[in-house]
Amino acid sequence: MDEPASEKNPAADPGNPFTGVPIEVSVCVGKARPLIRELVAMGENALLTLDTRVDDPVELYVGERLIARGLLEEKEDDPHGQLVVRLTEIMKLQPDL
């Protein structure tokens, strides 16, 4: 007899107390490396050039740990242009030792 889905995948168990705990996922779209004098001279509407392009993959982090990569897209049928990330690669997570 097959195991219930909740035994195969703990996230599928609605009674698992950890499944309802929110976590913060940060999305990194790129990095900039200005000189300090350039950064302090910037004012409103200044442009900070990143090392990536619009179509480059973004990286998703939980804390300092890279968990996935994906592509930025606009949410379909959203009149406000809400951004979403389409996951393209999930990292194999190694436990901390």
Side-chain angles (χ1 to χ4, degrees):
M1 187 170 195
D2 287 337
E3 297 177 54
S6 61
E7 289 182 26
K8 292 179 184 177
N9 180 2
D13 179 5
N16 185 332
F18 293 108
T19 61
V21 177
I23 62 169
E24 184 171 296
V25 177
S26 299
V27 179
C28 181
V29 298
K31 294 182 178 139
R33 290 182 172 63
L35 297 174
I36 291 175
R37 70 172 167 260
E38 295 168 338
L39 192 60
V40 297
M42 289 183 167
E44 191 172 325
N45 295 318
L47 298 176
L48 185 61
T49 302
L50 301 177
D51 62 355
T52 56
R53 297 174 309 182
V54 170
D55 293 334
D56 286 346
V58 296
E59 295 180 330
L60 287 78
Y61 290 88
V62 171
E64 301 275 325
R65 183 170 287 190
L66 176 65
I67 60 164
R69 289 190 178 92
L71 298 173
L72 284 178
E73 297 181 4
E74 281 190 44
K75 187 175 182 181
E76 290 183 25
D77 301 324
D78 188 302
H80 305 293
Q82 179 72 45
L83 289 176
V84 298
V85 178
R86 180 175 302 280
L87 299 181
T88 58
E89 180 182 3
I90 306 292
M91 301 298 126
K92 293 190 186 297
L93 300 179
Q94 301 296 321
D96 290 335
L97 299 176

